[in-house]
Amino acid sequence: WIHRATNDDLSKIMVVTNAAKKLLKSNGSLQWQQGYPNEETFTKDIHNKSLYGIYEDNELMGFGAYILGKDLNYVEIDEGKWDIPANDKDMAIHRVAVDENSHGKQYGVKILKYGIEYAKKFNCLTVKVDTHKKNIPMQKCILKSGFVYKGIIKILTEKLDNLRLAYEMVL
C-alpha cells in the first residue's frame, strides 16, 4: 500500500503539506516556512518518479521523496561525521509528511522503512535523512526506523534557520 504518487494525488499532497507547515510553525520551527516545499516541488518529484505515498483505502495518508545520488546538502557535516561520506551511491529521503488525522499510526516509519528497501534495490551504500531540531515527531520517527544520528548539516537553499539534524543508515 505504498506506491509511487501521481498527479492525481497533488491536491491531497498540498493539504497534508500545508497542515504540516502549520504544525511546524506552531512548534516554533522555520522548517518548511520559507516557500519550500510547494506544488512545483511535488510536481517535479512526481515527474521524476521519486515521490511515494502511503495509502489507506486508496486515500493518500502520507508521502516521502526518495532521491537517488549525491545530495549537496550532505557533503559537509558539522559536530559529527558520516560513516560513508556523501557520494553517488547515496539515497536521501526528503519531504516526509503524514496526514494530520493519521499521526500516531506509524505511517512515517513505514515511509522511511520502505525507502530503505527502495535504496537496496538500487544498490545504494547509505540512506541519509535530516530534520529540524524542533521537529521532535520526525526525530522519533527517524530513530524508530533504524537511522543513526550523525551530526549537523546546513540546508544550502534556506536563508534562515538552515541547520538540520542529520541521520544515516549504512546498507
Side-chain angles (χ1 to χ4, degrees):
W1 60 330
I2 294 179
H3 58 78
R4 204 177 283 145
T6 70
N7 285 322
D8 293 341
D9 296 316
L10 204 49
S11 61
K12 178 67 186 265
I13 288 166
M14 294 315 300
V15 167
V16 172
T17 300
N18 291 332
K21 286 180 177 187
K22 202 173 186 180
L23 182 62
L24 288 165
K25 186 175 186 175
S26 73
N27 290 333
S29 172
L30 286 179
Q31 183 179 14
W32 287 17
Q33 302 303 305
Q34 300 170 62
Y36 163 93
N38 55 38
E39 192 167 327
E40 184 183 335
T41 310
F42 292 113
T43 300
K44 185 177 169 189
D45 284 340
I46 290 166
H47 176 77
N48 292 336
K49 300 180 175 162
S50 58
L51 191 68
Y52 280 73
I54 187 164
Y55 300 82
E56 186 178 287
D57 299 324
N58 291 323
E59 186 178 347
L60 181 77
M61 295 290 133
F63 50 83
Y66 305 142
I67 311 297
L68 296 164
K70 185 177 189 176
D71 187 317
L72 297 179
N73 290 299
Y74 296 149
V75 171
E76 292 191 30
I77 187 165
D78 295 323
E79 298 176 38
K81 67 180 256 201
W82 299 115
D83 286 333
I84 299 175
N87 68 83
D88 290 337
K89 296 297 278 177
D90 278 349
M91 188 184 85
I93 301 178
H94 290 303
R95 299 179 280 290
V96 175
V98 172
D99 182 88
E100 63 184 337
N101 298 316
S102 297
H103 290 176
K105 292 185 176 182
Q106 305 302 308
Y107 288 153
V109 171
K110 289 174 181 163
I111 290 165
L112 291 174
K113 287 188 171 183
Y114 188 89
I116 293 162
E117 295 309 309
Y118 181 89
K120 289 177 182 176
K121 289 179 191 169
F122 289 93
N123 300 312
C124 292
L125 300 176
T126 69
V127 180
K128 293 177 170 75
V129 64
D130 67 84
T131 194
H132 194 279
K133 66 183 176 192
K134 291 185 178 177
N135 192 341
I136 306 301
M138 187 60 182
Q139 290 172 43
K140 289 179 179 176
C141 178
I142 290 168
L143 292 171
K144 194 178 274 191
S145 301
F147 287 84
V148 178
Y149 175 75
K150 291 295 165 182
I152 309 276
I153 57 120
K154 230 179 237 162
I155 301 298
L156 303 172
T157 55
E158 297 284 314
K159 301 278 186 265
L160 306 168
D161 197 17
N162 63 354
L163 300 180
R164 301 288 182 269
L165 305 177
Y167 302 81
E168 179 180 37
M169 177 178 287
V170 177
L171 303 178

